[in-house]
Amino acid sequence: MRQQLTKFSSARAPLPPAAPGTPQSTEPTAGSDHRRAAPGTTPGAAGKPEERTARSGSAKPRDPYFDNAKYLAIVLVALGHSWEPLRADSRAAGALYIFVYTFHMPAFMVISGYFSRSFQGKPHQLKRLVTGIAVPYVLFEVAYTFFKRWADDDPNQPISLLDPWYLTWFLGALFLWRLTTPLWKIVRWPVGLALAIAVLASVSPDIGDDLDFQRVLQFLPFFVIGLFLKPEHFDLVRRRSARLLSVPVLVVGLVVAYWAVERMNAEWFYHRDSAQEMGAPWWVGVVMTLALFGCSMVLTACFLAWVPRRHMWFTALGAGTLYGYLLHGFVAKGSRFWEWYDVGWVNTPLGAIGVTCAAAALITVLCTPPIQRIFRFAMEPRMPWAFREDPAATARQRVETAAGSKAEGAEGRVPERK
């Protein structure tokens, strides 16, 4: 009797757990299923073997903390874009703009690096890289070009995949960063090397605009730091003591931002030009790159300290942030082309509050499942016709299927009694 029970119990053992990082997503990500997206993987991974594994019960559940962080960060991205036209008439709007721009994209990049740790350039990972990042980059670069031709009455706007327009630069940067992930894992001082590259880029005016390479290099340290973070590092900033300590830091940050509005060029926070291109001596690029890196990391830690750890009403929206990121750009740019900010009441305090609320509502709607279903063809294309079948992946799938069938059969059997 004991031997039969032991055999029955072992037949019901769960399948091996998924690889580290696979249940999560990295960048502004896609996918409405709370278990689906997977950066270390990309938005295009949804619905693939990871999803089937999740349904069989062997995948680790998504951590709501990171989905909450991504949703809140994408809201800050939308708010920053909505405040940009208000800066000329409002010093408070300018201060909030500088404050948010110091850390909202670095926060995304740190999380992106954290969930890219498992990237090794394997065939299935490269497929996700193409379908989840490269394809959306191409489609939206073309879409933004035609939108500008129509909305801005600029029929000569060229289609240029090497010169990202507006928001698509981040997808190009993420593509390049993730490809270099194996390299950062073998060098001795990866963060120091990435920071040195960022500093050199900031004093190199001849890099040019291809693929927004200045941004790729100057933002690189944030992604590399994420690659080497561990869960315990995030546990540190989620402590109550860290939240309390972050309050005075955030207050000081807001005060400094208010002071800097009339004394500092906000373009330093875009990291898209060298010091010489902004009319400053080369050594200023070194100082500003290091100073902004330190400020961005401190404020990113403060932001992460206040991200809720439990499931919230917006947690599921964190899996659809890529949709919100790319789609809200049409409204953000359209508001400039169609001169919505020229309406008098918009530039009043109540108007600024209204614009802020509208931007938060818009980005929230754009992250919802109905929007994801409509635009999934562009964000998460499956494209089985574009790739050769991976024999190793097929073999793994057969093993998983056989193991699952065996487990289900064992569950259906009742042990005999003696």
Side-chain angles (χ1 to χ4, degrees):
M1 174 67 177
R2 182 177 301 172
Q3 291 177 346
Q4 289 176 330
L5 290 176
T6 302
K7 181 178 180 181
F8 174 70
S9 176
S10 63
R12 299 186 61 181
L15 300 178
T22 53
Q24 293 290 342
S25 54
T26 59
E27 64 278 357
T29 51
S32 58
D33 189 333
H34 200 57
R35 300 166 300 180
R36 283 170 52 183
T41 72
T42 66
K48 299 197 171 45
E50 289 76 10
E51 184 182 359
R52 292 191 293 271
T53 307
R55 286 198 295 264
S56 69
S58 63
K60 293 189 292 185
R62 292 176 68 96
D63 186 343
Y65 174 77
F66 292 103
D67 279 335
N68 292 339
K70 288 185 290 171
Y71 168 76
L72 295 175
I74 201 64
V75 168
L76 291 178
V77 170
L79 295 185
H81 291 155
S82 71
W83 291 334
E84 184 176 4
L86 302 176
R87 292 184 298 151
D89 299 317
S90 172
R91 186 172 181 179
L96 288 172
Y97 181 83
I98 288 177
F99 179 72
V100 164
Y101 262 74
T102 306
F103 69 89
H104 67 0
M105 290 308 293
F108 265 126
M109 294 161 190
V110 169
I111 295 174
S112 296
Y114 179 68
F115 287 113
S116 295
R117 295 170 300 162
S118 62
F119 185 85
Q120 299 174 355
K122 295 180 179 179
H124 69 282
Q125 294 174 326
L126 293 174
K127 289 179 183 178
R128 295 170 190 154
L129 194 63
V130 171
T131 58
I133 296 181
V135 171
Y137 171 82
V138 173
L139 293 179
F140 275 86
E141 183 63 29
V142 173
Y144 273 127
T145 299
F146 281 102
F147 176 74
K148 189 175 190 302
R149 289 180 181 181
W150 168 67
D152 196 29
D153 193 20
D154 183 11
N156 296 321
Q157 174 70 20
I159 296 176
S160 176
L161 297 182
L162 291 180
D163 187 10
W165 190 73
Y166 200 35
L167 300 177
T168 54
W169 71 268
F170 179 74
L171 294 182
L174 187 59
F175 185 89
L176 295 174
W177 292 336
R178 189 165 294 164
L179 279 180
T180 63
T181 294
L183 172 64
W184 298 110
K185 291 180 179 180
I186 63 173
V187 298
R188 190 177 295 274
W189 300 290
V191 176
L193 176 60
L195 194 55
I197 291 173
V199 169
L200 290 174
S202 71
V203 299
S204 303
D206 295 330
I207 288 180
D209 296 328
D210 288 353
L211 291 177
D212 242 350
F213 212 55
Q214 276 285 2
R215 277 176 163 169
V216 172
L217 298 180
Q218 292 193 37
F219 276 120
L220 175 63
F222 300 106
F223 179 82
V224 174
I225 280 184
L227 286 175
F228 294 92
L229 290 179
K230 298 179 180 179
E232 50 265 34
H233 294 133
F234 289 96
D235 290 338
L236 288 176
V237 300
R238 292 192 283 188
R239 293 180 178 178
R240 184 172 182 271
S241 57
R243 290 197 298 272
L244 294 177
L245 181 61
S246 70
V247 173
V249 175
L250 292 171
V251 171
V252 171
L254 283 168
V255 172
V256 172
Y258 190 83
W259 171 85
V261 168
E262 298 180 352
R263 298 173 176 83
M264 184 176 176
N265 186 350
E267 292 197 4
W268 284 107
F269 297 92
Y270 303 154
H271 297 279
R272 67 184 179 194
D273 296 302
S274 65
Q276 296 93 319
E277 290 173 298
M278 289 191 288
W282 68 269
W283 60 268
V284 175
V286 177
V287 174
M288 291 299 295
T289 299
L290 296 176
L292 288 177
F293 174 76
C295 292
S296 296
M297 286 305 304
V298 169
L299 291 180
T300 294
C302 293
F303 165 73
L304 294 174
W306 284 96
V307 171
R309 288 175 285 181
R310 63 184 185 278
H311 279 274
M312 307 292 289
W313 65 266
F314 54 79
T315 299
L317 302 180
T321 47
L322 180 63
Y323 292 84
Y325 177 76
L326 290 174
L327 293 174
H328 93 281
F330 294 102
V331 179
K333 278 298 183 182
S335 67
R336 277 67 151 181
F337 296 153
W338 299 319
E339 301 178 346
W340 292 352
Y341 283 87
D342 290 346
V343 180
W345 65 268
V346 171
N347 294 287
T348 65
L350 286 178
I353 293 174
V355 167
T356 300
C357 294
L362 173 67
I363 200 70
T364 298
V365 170
L366 293 178
C367 293
T368 56
I371 298 297
Q372 295 177 39
R373 285 193 291 270
I374 294 172
F375 291 97
R376 184 161 290 145
F377 73 94
M379 308 286 196
E380 303 177 82
R382 308 229 178 219
M383 300 176 60
W385 50 267
F387 303 101
R388 296 178 179 177
E389 187 174 352
D390 182 7
T394 303
R396 285 196 303 269
Q397 183 178 345
R398 289 175 180 171
V399 171
E400 291 173 358
T401 302
S405 300
K406 184 177 180 181
E408 290 175 2
E411 288 179 0
R413 292 197 299 268
V414 178
E416 298 178 0
R417 296 183 180 180
K418 290 186 177 179

